[in-house]
Amino acid sequence: MKVGATRYERVAALIEDQVQRGALRVGDRVPSVRSLSRHQRVSVGTVLEAYVRLEARGLLEARPRSGFYVRVPHVDRPPEPRFRARAAAPAPVGPAAVIVSVMEAAGNARVVPLGAACPSPELLPYRALNRFLRVAIARNPTHSSRYESSRGSEALRRQIARRALLSGCEIAPADVIVTCGAIEALQLCLRAVTRPGQLVALESPTYFGILQVLEALGLRAVEIPTHPRDGLDLGRLAAALRTHRIAACVAMPTLQNPLGAAMPLAAKRELVTLLARHGVPLIEDDVYGDLVYGATRPPAARSFDRKGLVLYCSSFSKTLGPGFRVGWVDAGRFTTEVDRLKFMSTVATASLPQVVIAHFLERGAYERHLRRLRAAFQAQTLRMSAAIARHFPAGTRISRPAGGFVLWVELPEGADAVALHRRALAESISISPGPIFSAAGRFQRMLRINCGHPWSPQIERAAATLGRLAG
Amino acid sequence: MKVGATRYERVAALIEDQVQRGALRVGDRVPSVRSLSRHQRVSVGTVLEAYVRLEARGLLEARPRSGFYVRVPHVDRPPEPRFRARAAAPAPVGPAAVIVSVMEAAGNARVVPLGAACPSPELLPYRALNRFLRVAIARNPTHSSRYESSRGSEALRRQIARRALLSGCEIAPADVIVTCGAIEALQLCLRAVTRPGQLVALESPTYFGILQVLEALGLRAVEIPTHPRDGLDLGRLAAALRTHRIAACVAMPTLQNPLGAAMPLAAKRELVTLLARHGVPLIEDDVYGDLVYGATRPPAARSFDRKGLVLYCSSFSKTLGPGFRVGWVDAGRFTTEVDRLKFMSTVATASLPQVVIAHFLERGAYERHLRRLRAAFQAQTLRMSAAIARHFPAGTRISRPAGGFVLWVELPEGADAVALHRRALAESISISPGPIFSAAGRFQRMLRINCGHPWSPQIERAAATLGRLAG
């Protein structure tokens, strides 16, 4: 257990240890919250937080009015990647030709798709969406004959505002701006709150798309070490805020890409408070938030915002289909400026995808779909973990994502992930090498593996090949 | 006739004069090209160019193997707006709250839509598009389940490349980048070829969306006087190129918004040569090019490019529906950079609209639709001209657009178009006042009137009200 663990982490480690040793097995009921609280002399709240986090990581499942049960088949998984807290130093963002090859591979059907973070089309509700689409165009045949408002379709904005309550956010439909995917939202937010040459605090590792947007806007990055489970290192962020003039912070507090980290609620609150104290806007990227394993999703950092300084972005790309290009943002006090920039960027978002998605959400089909999708992603991610444990060289470490469908893998000393990426591509397997997740080219021994596809012999073989190439 | 008119202009004026005086009436055959060439002692090519331009302006129509006939019902139209060639001085681009009110009015169904340049939904082929859409989703149900290539759907890019031949351009499907409307294309091009603070040469008046994009990118404008019929004043552009360091030129040589000007072919060639001599890229906005009146559309400026310096942009917003948000660009030698920026801007364009439009083009439905659309726009524009002639104060001047569906109106001395815009809005009529078409706030007596809607008693009343308010 890491030094300085909080009470609930110690409780969680206790349960996890019992599962590892086989004392608790799949289907077993774990001690009730009340009884464990008595035995461990900690509060009921502490035990509950521990159980909820174990649930989020897929180890336990909550059954209504019955308690928590061990869920995950016990596999002898390699340890998690190490957390290295390096000092934050500003860095210019360099171009990355590797990203181009990862994205190109995603469009090549003959390549095993472990690179880009894409769900399998098989898991997406395209049949239902097409049904709704036919109904929608029959009802409103002139759907695309007018300029849509730059903020987007009213029906969709109402649904987005309604769903935001699930992440603890009170958002008015009028404040939602529908964008061409979350990337447009992130870019508009950055343009609204920064000027070229300024510094932006980022998680490290971070989603490579953000690095590219920073580069295109002439911004510089301060990489803040980010823990594989707990997310942004707030101490390091505080130090960076004292040392540098930081114009904005971009982060994924609820489910981080590529780590799968989930910041504890208290840390989310502290993040918002810390940035507000420095007057620094937080651009919260929540595209994976709906994919946290377990029955309920945790509140977003935005739910703690009292100053309008959190610009809250998300999309339907990971849950309904990337080809719809529908994302959104509530930009808090920057809403007018983001709306103005949206008009100059693309005037409005295409109407048809908005019509379909609004219809799908209105019918309540989305929550049902999300439950199935989360379960599928969790199962696939566990199978990939097990396959990596079997096939990869000793010393490999694997993340324990709190949700979503990517794994962050640390190869043993001396490994070169970019070289592995090239060798894997030669065998028609795409992976995302670590250095593309850093402006400074860190993470040379790391890989991100996409687990968005149902398990198959082809994927099993690809995992074996990767293990051989990495060995 | 203006001083310095070229030979073909003198020939055109001769014919026009005969129509004005009633010597040639609707349905009359005009002299054959050969006979007029003999009588006027000019070349056959000169007469032909004059006739083609009169055809483009709707005065003549060509009947295959028969000759040219007078087409337009003769109305006693007010004269054209005056051309004022002012010196080009760099100007910062200021924000324009008036633009917001013009765009908001476009979304308000109770306002008579003479402001934003929008075709009426009634004139758009939405029934056929919906039919194609149903077929397309049945054939490819997972249309939106994957990330589309950042350059766009291959089927659509093939169709765009094929149609580019009609404007004299040889474009490879691989070089087409599909964008979220032409505005994204223009913005990506500007970002590819300029840096903040640099100067961009613009037509004056110019489409206000371009001014907003410049402002968002921190660019400055040099406004080049633009003739209501012949487009960009090349002498003034040459002078500006000698005086200032200009990073790019944005222009609409085939059909200018708001003037409806069409540059003669020789001028287009000279424009491309002049800019190439200075190494300045031309961003050619051709969104109205398919709407030039007459049987065939003139070649684009891009057709004269031999250096890859013309970035050629267009869209389907004015012809199939603005809500599809489908535009495109062939960025010449800047293609790689524009593609990179496109990925960082919106990753890719939404798939569904691309699927529908590709299908519509493949079936040959587009050219048939364009023929009907051009005729409707020409008729509506002429009716609006006649109504303005009836209702507006003496001294009003009206443009003679070569195509499209907007009129540029010059009010008599002392008029204030922004004040008229406000008074008109109070009576639920939207117009676009001149100053929004200039970074320097010129054109205070000018209006742009949208004629995209079929004539109706409501529009007739609106024209009368506008005339009263302007009086």
Side-chain angles (χ1 to χ4, degrees), chain A residues 111-147:
Chain A
V111 172
V112 187
L114 310 181
C118 294
S120 164
E122 294 170 59
L123 299 174
L124 299 177
Y126 58 86
R127 285 185 199 85
L129 285 162
N130 287 337
R131 215 160 43 233
F132 288 129
L133 181 59
R134 281 190 290 266
V135 173
I137 63 181
R139 274 196 209 156
N140 175 21
T142 57
H143 46 79
S144 301
S145 302
R146 291 181 180 83
Y147 280 102

Side-chain angles (χ1 to χ4, degrees), chain A residues 18 32-33 121 140 143 161 183 198 220 226 267 310 382 392 419 459:
Chain A
Q18 292 192 314
S32 79
V33 171
N140 175 21
H143 46 79
I183 198 87
Q198 289 188 323
R220 291 177 304 142
T226 301
V310 178
L382 284 167
F392 275 50
I459 292 178

Side-chain angles (χ1 to χ4, degrees), chain A residues 6-19:
Chain A
T6 58
R7 281 202 191 106
Y8 76 81
E9 286 173 321
R10 281 198 293 272
V11 174
L14 185 82
I15 299 292
E16 208 172 354
D17 186 55
Q18 292 192 314
V19 174

Side-chain angles (χ1 to χ4, degrees), chain B residues 7-79:
Chain B
R7 282 202 191 106
Y8 75 82
E9 286 173 321
R10 281 197 293 272
V11 174
L14 185 81
I15 297 293
E16 208 173 355
D17 186 54
Q18 293 193 310
V19 174
Q20 293 273 351
R21 290 189 294 105
L24 280 167
R25 282 183 302 187
V26 175
D28 283 354
R29 188 171 182 276
V30 299
S32 80
V33 171
R34 203 160 294 280
S35 76
L36 196 63
S37 132
R38 269 198 308 276
H39 280 117
Q40 294 293 316
R41 292 182 196 164
V42 294
S43 74
V44 167
T46 297
V47 178
L48 197 60
E49 169 118 32
Y51 281 11
V52 165
R53 289 177 68 77
L54 289 170
E55 187 198 8
R57 287 188 5 238
L59 202 78
L60 300 186
E61 68 178 317
R63 295 187 194 159
R65 275 183 292 278
S66 169
F68 286 85
Y69 291 77
V70 177
R71 180 178 185 179
V72 178
H74 171 66
V75 286
D76 192 16
R77 286 196 284 177

Side-chain angles (χ1 to χ4, degrees), chain B residues 184-227:
Chain B
E184 191 189 32
L186 295 169
Q187 185 180 162
L188 298 178
C189 290
L190 278 167
R191 286 169 64 186
V193 304
T194 68
R195 294 292 161 262
Q198 288 187 324
L199 277 179
V200 176
L202 295 181
E203 294 159 327
S204 181
T206 192
Y207 164 52
F208 54 78
I210 284 291
L211 293 173
Q212 295 204 300
V213 171
L214 255 60
E215 188 202 341
L217 299 179
L219 295 164
R220 290 176 306 142
V222 194
E223 301 193 14
I224 309 294
T226 300
H227 187 276

Side-chain angles (χ1 to χ4, degrees), chain B residues 6 11 84 93 102 105 136 139 148 175 214 242 251 274 278 352 371 373-374 376 415 417 443 458:
Chain B
T6 58
V11 174
R84 288 183 189 78
V93 178
V102 169
R139 274 195 209 158
E148 180 62 85
D175 292 335
L214 255 60
R242 281 192 303 270
L274 173 66
H278 288 82
L352 264 176
R371 278 197 294 277
L373 197 61
R374 279 190 294 255
F443 309 114
Q458 188 202 34

